[in-house]
Amino acid sequence: MIKLPESIDLANLPTKIEKLDRLSKYLNGPEIYIKRDDQTGSEFSGNKVRKLEFAVQEALNEGCDYLITCGGIQSNHARATAAVAAKLGIGSYLVLRTNKEEMIDGNYFLDGVLGAKIRFITAEEYRERRMEIMKEVKEELDKKGHKAYIIPEGSSNGIGAFGYFKAMEEIFEQEKEMGIKFDAIVLAVGSGGTYAGLFYANKYYKNNAKVYGINVCDDEKYFKNAINNILYESFQYTKESIEFFKDEINIIDGYVGKGYALSRPEEITFIHELAKLEGVILDPVYTGKAMYGLVEEIKKGNFKEHNNILFIHTGGLFGLFPQKGMFKF
Ligand SMILES: Cc1ncc(COP(=O)(O)O)c(C=O)c1O
């Protein structure tokens, strides 16, 4: 039996799995289910808190009293980190990417409400030297007598990925309870940690579902490498590696659209239609693009080999508010 690193309980688990009856009927193909990881909490909501359960436990074990992380201005991960820090009575410092004066809205607004300290950096600085900048922040905090712990973008590293290893075990339990076998698991990929954890557990337990990631930035090659690297970091914790080929990491490329966090009208229309059809609200940056991609792929006949698809709703609702101008009622 694999021994996962220690973790702290933060998320509301297990999250529900619901069937999207009307969407499945409309597509007239495989049955589509959705796992409501957008309901892991309200302040915590989304996939990041599962990863933080492992990363933050490691920080606490090291005696840290500050969490430093980074992301885009509307980062769900940064907001979840600020929420977790406040919940635990420790500090949070967010290094956020922006090139302009930002409206106080969505996740960024909540970061402030949750008491996070914020440093803005440009897109170029973010690309070139975000880790260096976080290390500088750590030095400043450490000089003031704190002990700070750096969480990389999206908490997508060896330790964070265990959040989704555990989520896969949760899915296996739910399959038993529901009497259903999911033969495809589909999710948005932004930094790769969620995918890595699901893939690891899927292989480790010799489950034969296919795990598909739909990338919302970069490309297939980038994520095959990134996920491969995260997996090797995770193996160092468990000392239990799995054998796999990089080509088994299924990335469906082609739905980045205008670019990271930029929406096309058809994606917004899709989010709106699905909300009216199923009462499920997706976000514009991750889940909206991924579910849009899944539906397009089903329409093209590319999911014919599957009977029961599980889409992971990884959250992101707060990121919808800054995009309100794109919706027409
Ligand atoms: C709402 C939401 N969904 C999906 C993802 C992608 O997860 P990952 O970064 O683990 O690939 C993120 C973060 O990047 C997110 O905030």
Side-chain angles (χ1 to χ4, degrees):
M1 187 64 183
I2 194 163
K3 191 170 178 311
L4 301 187
E6 215 188 326
S7 61
I8 184 171
D9 270 353
L10 294 166
N12 280 324
L13 301 178
T15 56
K16 278 195 288 187
I17 292 181
E18 298 165 344
K19 186 164 172 215
L20 296 180
D21 272 315
R22 287 176 292 279
L23 181 67
S24 305
K25 202 165 164 205
Y26 163 73
L27 290 169
N28 194 24
E31 305 293 353
I32 305 176
Y33 293 80
I34 189 163
K35 183 161 175 63
R36 302 301 304 266
D37 271 18
D38 54 321
Q39 296 177 355
T40 49
S42 42
E43 297 86 352
F44 297 155
S45 95
N47 59 340
K48 301 307 180 189
V49 65
R50 286 192 190 260
K51 301 171 174 188
L52 289 170
E53 287 192 341
F54 285 86
V56 172
Q57 182 68 63
E58 185 172 79
L60 295 176
N61 290 349
E62 290 174 13
C64 296
D65 65 353
Y66 242 96
L67 302 176
I68 302 172
T69 199
C70 63
I73 181 76
Q74 284 300 330
S75 167
N76 297 300
H77 163 66
R79 179 259 311 151
T81 303
V84 168
K87 176 87 180 168
L88 297 174
I90 61 177
S92 63
Y93 203 120
L94 311 177
V95 174
L96 300 181
R97 176 188 57 220
T98 180
N99 271 336
K100 56 178 169 68
E101 184 87 0
E102 292 288 348
M103 293 271 292
I104 298 181
D105 203 346
N107 285 303
Y108 169 43
F109 167 63
L110 294 179
D111 296 340
V113 171
L114 290 160
K117 289 200 163 50
I118 295 175
R119 177 172 305 180
F120 290 119
I121 60 172
T122 63
E124 197 190 340
E125 286 171 318
Y126 191 89
R127 205 173 41 245
E128 308 287 331
R129 50 184 295 269
R130 61 177 177 271
M131 188 45 92
E132 240 175 87
I133 294 171
M134 287 198 287
K135 283 183 182 160
E136 285 164 20
V137 171
K138 177 174 162 51
E139 248 174 61
E140 287 163 25
L141 288 168
D142 289 357
K143 265 190 207 146
K144 288 183 185 155
H146 293 289
K147 189 162 184 214
Y149 179 92
I150 298 179
I151 303 171
E153 183 182 60
S155 200
S156 281
N157 59 0
I159 186 80
F162 289 113
Y164 272 87
F165 188 104
K166 217 175 125 187
M168 195 68 170
E169 294 178 331
E170 187 178 301
I171 293 169
F172 296 151
E173 283 304 308
Q174 289 175 305
E175 284 185 324
K176 276 188 227 150
E177 281 162 24
M178 296 170 77
I180 290 173
K181 184 87 197 80
F182 299 112
D183 50 15
I185 295 178
V186 182
L187 64 145
V189 171
S191 55
T194 305
Y195 187 100
L198 292 169
F199 181 87
Y200 187 178
N202 193 51
K203 274 259 155 194
Y204 179 80
Y205 290 107
K206 300 190 170 41
N207 186 50
N208 54 9
K210 265 196 176 173
V211 184
Y212 295 94
I214 302 185
N215 57 304
V216 301
C217 53
D218 300 291
D219 59 18
E220 183 181 358
K221 187 166 172 243
Y222 173 87
F223 279 114
K224 280 186 190 262
N225 283 327
I227 291 165
N228 181 72
N229 295 343
I230 296 169
L231 285 166
Y232 277 93
E233 270 182 47
S234 293
F235 302 157
Q236 294 189 356
Y237 284 89
T238 58
K239 311 285 179 236
E240 298 223 37
S241 54
I242 45 165
E243 281 184 17
F244 68 98
F245 298 107
K246 255 196 213 169
D247 272 347
E248 290 174 81
I249 298 172
N250 290 301
I251 301 292
I252 302 178
D253 201 349
Y255 297 97
V256 176
K258 279 189 179 171
Y260 177 74
L262 301 171
S263 297
R264 294 180 288 173
E266 56 267 45
E267 293 158 9
I268 297 292
T269 303
F270 174 75
I271 292 172
H272 194 178
E273 291 304 320
L274 189 81
K276 290 185 284 180
L277 187 69
E278 294 282 3
V280 171
I281 304 182
L282 301 172
D283 82 290
V285 183
Y286 301 95
T287 55
K289 286 190 182 184
M291 178 73 106
Y292 173 80
L294 171 62
V295 165
E296 289 299 302
E297 292 295 306
I298 292 173
K299 283 184 188 163
K300 285 186 208 160
N302 289 346
F303 271 75
K304 274 208 183 105
E305 62 178 291
H306 297 298
N307 297 315
N308 292 310
I309 298 177
L310 181 65
F311 180 85
I312 317 277
H313 189 336
T314 41
L317 177 63
F318 303 126
L320 194 60
F321 291 87
Q323 301 299 332
K324 47 191 166 289
M326 288 193 76
F327 283 78
K328 294 188 189 80
F329 307 116

